[in-house]
Amino acid sequence: MSQTIATPPTVRLDSDVIGKPINRTEGPAKVSGAAKYAAEFDVTGPLWYGYIVSSPVAKGKITKIHAEEVLAIPGVQRVFSHENVPSLAWFDRAYKDDVAPGGSPFRPLHEPEIMFSQQPVALVVAETFELARYAASVLRIEYDVEKHNTDLESSIDEAFDAPKGKTGFLPPPKPKGDMNKAFAEAPHKVAGEYIHRAQHHNPMEMFATTVDWLGDGKKMKIYDKTQGAPNVQQYIAKIFGLSKDEARIISKYTGGGFGAGLRPQYQVFLAVMAALELEHSIRVVMNRSQMFSMGYRPHTLQKLRLAADDLGHLQAIEHKALAETSQFENETETVVNWSAILYDAPNTNFDYQLTKLDLNTPADMRAPGAATGSFALESAIDELSYKAGKDPLEFRLLNYTYEDPSENKPFTSKRLDDCYHEGAARFGWEKRNPAPRSMRDEKGLLVGWGVAAGCWDASTQKAAAKAVLTADGHLTVSSATNDQGAGTYVIMTQMAAQTLGLPMSQVTFNLGDTDMPAAPVQGGSWTANSVGAAVKNACQEIGKKLLKLAQKIDDSPLAGVDFEDVQFVDGHLRANEDITRSVAIADVLAASGEAKLEADGKAGPNPLNMLKYSMHSHNAAFVEVKVDEDLGTIHVTRVVNAVAAGRIMNPKTARSQVLGGTVWGLSMALMEETYLNKDFGRYVNHNYAEYHIPTNADIHKIDVIFVEEEDDIASSIGVKGVGEIGMLGVAAAIANAVYHATGKRVRELPLTIDKLL
Amino acid sequence: MNSFTLTQATAADEAVRDLTSHDGAAYLGGGTNLVDLMKYNLTRPTHLTSLGLLPLADITSLPDGGLRLGALATNADTAWHPEVEKRYPLLSQTILAGATPQLRNAATNGGNLNQRTRCYYFYDLATPCNKREPGTGCSALTGPNRVCGVLGTSESCIATHPSDMCVALAALEAVVRVQGPDGERTIKFEDYHRLPGDQPEADNTLKAGELVTAIDLPEEGYADHFTYLKLRDRSSYAFALVSVAVGLKMSGQTIEKARFAVGGVAHKPWRDQEAEKMLEGQTASPDLFRKVAAKVFAEAKGYGEGSLHNSFKIELGKRAIVRALKQAVEMEYEVNPNAFLNSNP
Ligand SMILES: Cc1cc2nc3c(=O)[nH]c(=O)nc-3n(C[C@H](O)[C@H](O)[C@H](O)COP(=O)(O)OP(=O)(O)OC[C@H]3O[C@@H](n4cnc5c(N)ncnc54)[C@H](O)[C@@H]3O)c2cc1C
Ligand code: SF4
């Protein structure tokens, strides 16, 4: 693995923990079971359990709830439904969370209307989990069933242009030139329709909330499974009219999120409502089937038309997408724009539409929009390369964009070309026989090699952190960010240690508590960059205080030195010019007599840079597949994933992110699909046995390459984030490799056995 | 509460007596299926007769040269038993193609025979299902039915029996030994599971209260020419879309005796004795295999097109038979042809 990490331009040089493959600081707690997840926290008093009842119908109205039958069971405390939900915030607006799309958010138990199958319709609270579950199972509810529509294909006529309303959503780029004419006249062209159906995130940990009722007014400690405690807090506080003090959200560990935990899920609403009404500690945990009642990657239909001239230069790009959304919100993803960033042509046309169906609102799922769009784009590009008689890699390099054509701005950095070169070298691309069906292995299986690129935003959000240096020399930094397994704990510890030149063992980083300074939800690959910058700034403030105190020492060796000329190394402050002019931090603290030093740090986007530049991470995935043509089986035997994502803070956790992303891409390509039964408007494979994701036996060699980028414009700390980029390109590269192996172009995911028969 | 009583039986007759003396009782083997069914509220036994302590976990040689597999032997112990590995490698391979090591360590042979279908609707109380609630209708006829069958289906149910192990037991012509309130009897494997007809709620021909005590394997184990080919949606931990268990006796290129069964396509492991006969006395050839495969699926009926529906299983099933027969003749594959394992080519 090449891990030449850029020397960060803005961080002091010598302590050297940034860029090192350091183990997760929380690793031992996780593997020993000491790490507690939302459903595992103890509470002060006795705990009651809420079990969620889900609607069996997709559309209609509840006409009767036979709660009395269930309340007669000893130990059952309450049945909550629309009939007795307390009167809450009047306006829809209160239910809007930080990352809500446009529209009117779902309000659990608000009304008798059913808007999607598996909609939560009641919460049964009992003294034990088993009792609550049993009581929920016998609760009789009567419905007036109405005709539903969950069929995207037959509802194309009802499509409308996706409206703005969701933060971060980019409408499709403006058209250029004359698409139809250029397409008609071009010598090489492809047109294809691409499809994938709904996919559900399915993190291992079920959504869960434990409310610790503290018996002090309405004060609660709310342990929630989420990707953003502050987002949950503002949601809960607004709906229930609580102060931040009353609604403290704690989320120390998150057993996977992938976007499912960006928005507050309904179990937190139900748990808090029940706790407030019953003035009692409550735990509510979803079951696996209910994990399919939440947001999902929407079923999307895409149409692409591409054309190139005799030399293989792109002349026309058209990318249209149609996705499903709920009746009440317009979930929008950025699907087609990637075609205008990765490639350029004089004639273009882009379109992104939605259709409303009787389903729950979709949600961001790892690389939302880009995973969808880049699969179609990179499949079509591949197809066109064959038409134009070019090697797929050569074709991509030929049509490489050095500026972002969608906004006519320069990239802050873009080393996708080096990803192509280094990836190809590692993969052995030059040994590829260009003809489809030309390669076989020793057992006679068809072998295919495919490549595809990916692109993701490098964005920064507002974040804050607090640093406390105590007299014993220990630095504690905190921010209400999240770690859904990404490695946030360790990289923030590294950032703090590096900034103040302390050993890792003398630094603690805490997260996931709304008593800490606010941070954005963990998503969009922006945590490392945004929270990292806030942590650095907080530590630098401590550094400034230390320097001042150091200069107060009699005959201070640092007298007259400016902060900019000081370095923090090995527990010392030293003058850059003359490192023998040095004071130990411990001595500064001792001399000062201060019990502790405290400082806050903030970070956020740089609007000027955002106007001037396009900021993106990129990757190139190279894939080998082996196909048993008679049986339609596909095995991905080798992947090289080359990633350019700025500076890599920790190559070990970053590699894990890219490995996981690669597996996600493989999963999307070969397995993931939620089966919708249109007769019932209901997903039917709602469990781990039938919703397939890869097992160890499906995963073979994955090689990760980081191509270093020095980029202190995209982020003040040079970091672009690696949460999403690793999965991009992979699905298309697999489909492209399958084409190379078999001569068959499959445009529908997942590539299950039946598609190759 | 969903409460039940539980008895730990220590002898087969005691187990039968215990079960028949309780209303709404069920036998509990390894519990890997039954407990799931209880959690999904598909079945609510008020009493469980636990079989864990029955002295039926042994695997013993029979005087006629066969092998007796105790009903309480675990799937793992059966697959790894030296006699099974040596004389019935087909069975060993088939068991190991199913589920996961953890499940196989808990699952018993008796439970494996009696596991219920994996049809999505059977598991979802919100949808009609004739097998779960006779007379409510079959949701799989028109809905996604990728897991369902194409052979021997009826308008009331198109479910499949999900077991891998049973596909090999069908090919091996095992005999199921049962003990009931009226004493002991044996059931030929082909008669053990049944087709849905208009009584889809019954998976098999066990009578009320009957306990599976053992599975007897005849002497012939086809140890020289066998294969289990399992096609599924991922390399491990997935039920078969289509699977084929084959045992052949060869003399040179001539097939002397042929037994095979197909899984994932019917309410029971699908054996076609006429198709087997087409192979016997013939020289192995791709043409012959294709004819045999065509015969097996001649009457097949698919329920809808596209990847969510199961018509593709007809073509896939034919190809799987051709490949499996070829593999069994040539015996040219690695130990487990079903998984690429982690060989990192
Ligand atoms: C996630 C998952 C994946 C799986 N994948 C596969 C797979 O790929 N291939 C495969 O073949 N199987 C698979 N299985 C199924 C597994 O093989 C069965 O669950 C197991 O064999 C059942 O055995 P058990 O002893 O646990 O049965 P139990 O759960 O104890 O019982 C199952 C049924 O049999 C009855 N029963 C048990 N013992 C007897 C007896 N001696 N006499 C009469 N009735 C009895 C019980 O009353 C019950 O109705 C999977 C299971 C799970 C949960
Ligand atoms: S196929 Fe059988 S098990 Fe499935 S829904 Fe129909 S009746 Fe039920």
Side-chain angles (χ1 to χ4, degrees), chain A residues 31 84 132 137 170 369 413 423 559 585 606 623 634 654 659 686 689 714 724:
Chain A
V31 296
N84 62 352
S137 78
L170 290 176
S413 56
I585 290 177
N606 179 327
V623 164
I634 301 169
L659 286 179
H686 42 66
E724 344 269 330

Side-chain angles (χ1 to χ4, degrees), chain B residues 117 119 121-122 128-132 137-140 148 156-159 200:
Chain B
T117 184
C119 177
Y121 312 99
F122 179 72
C129 167
N130 285 329
K131 186 182 274 299
R132 195 185 61 235
C138 172
S139 300
C148 294
S156 63
C157 180
I158 61 172

Side-chain angles (χ1 to χ4, degrees), chain A residues 137 628 679 682 693 698 754, chain B residues 44 142 146 234-235 323:
Chain A
S137 78
D628 187 323
D679 298 336
R682 183 174 175 90
I693 55 172
D698 296 295
D754 47 284
Chain B
R44 287 218 157 117
T142 53
R146 194 176 165 84
R234 60 181 164 199
S235 301
R323 173 66 62 83

Side-chain angles (χ1 to χ4, degrees), chain A residues 413-447:
Chain A
S413 56
K414 176 180 174 182
R415 291 192 63 194
L416 174 59
D417 46 356
D418 293 313
C419 292
Y420 284 139
H421 296 309
E422 288 192 30
R426 179 75 56 86
F427 189 81
W429 187 259
E430 81 282 356
K431 290 190 222 106
R432 180 177 183 269
N433 184 331
R437 305 185 58 83
S438 62
M439 291 166 60
R440 284 185 187 267
D441 76 353
E442 64 287 353
K443 286 187 216 146
L445 294 175
L446 286 165
V447 174

